[in-house]
Amino acid sequence: MLTLCSFLQSIWQMIHMLTMKAVHVTKRMYRSSAVIMTGTFVVAVMVFTSAGLSGGGKNALTAYAETPAPEAEPGEEEETEEIELLTEAKVQFHLTDSEFIRDGQRLVGDTLAKSVSEQQDVKRERKAVIEKTKEEIRLVEAERARIAAEEAARKAEEERIRKAAEAVRTSAVVSFSDKDYEVLKRIVQAEAGICDKKGKVLVANVIINRVKSRKFPDTITEVVYQRSQFSPVSNGSINTCKVTQDTIDAVNLALTGEDYSQGALYFMNRGRSRSSSVGWFDGRLTFLFQHQGHEFFK
């Protein structure tokens, strides 16, 4: 009996020592050890029974069967649970690590996509700014070209007029300065701007006739600006009117000797004149003729 128990206890201690020395112990290994121990126990019982230990064998088997199973030491259970937790944590870590990698890849992809989009936006903005700047430069250059063209045209026209005036001056019936020439054009435009060319020549003839007459000043400018003689001087329209080419041509004709005036020194528009002025014209002057809206006197 004692021999059987000692044998079984020796086997149990050997298996227990083997399992305790293992570094990585799992439930499966523990169950395998228990199976080995049980099998060894059965073989030992059979051996002792076949040797003639009938009564003692039965009692020993019964005693061993009734012996409570050895309890697992607290350290073993804690170590097994720790290994299981570590194994589970490792699995979770691998899963989490994979998810972390995927999230990182996704984040990197999103960041790169955003960076590319921002770069494209910057390029588009730069391109828009460049195009706008080019358009502004083009408009400025076009405006400068337009101004330059207008200035060139103005200077060309002034030169043409100057040359025409020089040509007129060489054959003019009266002497005149550049200022006289400008004043004569303006008074003809202001007084007879709506008249035909003959009507404009007639107004210029009256101015020239006064320059020639001893009763009036000796220059065109002085004749035109003599007090209370011409209404465009009084109301200022002589300074605001725009001289047309037709008026310039009429003035040039009058200066070079074309004369329809019959020596007239006065003219008036009866419908636009004050009654006192009309009475003075009718009572003091000699009526010569009428052309369009103007009546001429001497």
Side-chain angles (χ1 to χ4, degrees), residues 128-161:
V129 170
I130 292 172
E131 292 298 327
K132 184 178 180 181
T133 303
K134 288 182 179 179
E135 180 64 17
E136 291 176 351
I137 293 173
R138 188 188 67 78
L139 292 175
V140 170
E141 290 178 349
E143 182 64 15
R144 288 178 178 175
R146 184 188 66 80
I147 294 173
E150 290 181 353
E151 183 66 15
R154 184 185 65 79
K155 289 182 178 180
E157 181 64 14
E158 289 179 353
E159 182 64 16
R160 186 189 69 79
I161 293 173

Side-chain angles (χ1 to χ4, degrees), residues 9-38 70-73 75-80 83:
Q9 287 178 0
S10 298
I11 294 174
W12 167 251
Q13 288 177 359
M14 180 185 66
I15 295 173
H16 179 68
M17 288 175 65
L18 290 174
T19 56
M20 287 295 295
K21 288 182 180 180
V23 177
H24 299 290
V25 180
T26 63
K27 287 183 176 181
R28 185 174 183 180
M29 293 173 63
Y30 192 84
R31 286 195 298 268
S32 299
S33 299
V35 170
I36 293 171
M37 185 186 69
T38 304
E71 296 181 359
E73 296 183 5
E76 287 185 55
E77 295 182 357
E78 291 178 359
E79 187 176 358
T80 303
I83 292 172

Side-chain angles (χ1 to χ4, degrees), residues 220-246:
I220 293 173
T221 300
E222 291 175 341
V223 166
V224 172
Y225 283 93
Q226 189 177 10
R227 185 175 181 180
S228 302
Q229 294 301 306
F230 299 97
S231 57
V233 175
S234 301
N235 60 32
S237 60
I238 189 174
N239 300 317
T240 58
C241 64
K242 184 177 181 180
V243 179
T244 64
Q245 185 59 47
D246 189 63

Side-chain angles (χ1 to χ4, degrees), residues 280-295:
W280 185 87
F281 272 82
D282 290 338
R284 302 284 299 272
L285 301 176
T286 301
F287 174 78
L288 296 176
F289 61 90
Q290 179 177 352
H291 181 76
Q292 294 181 335
H294 287 141
E295 295 178 20

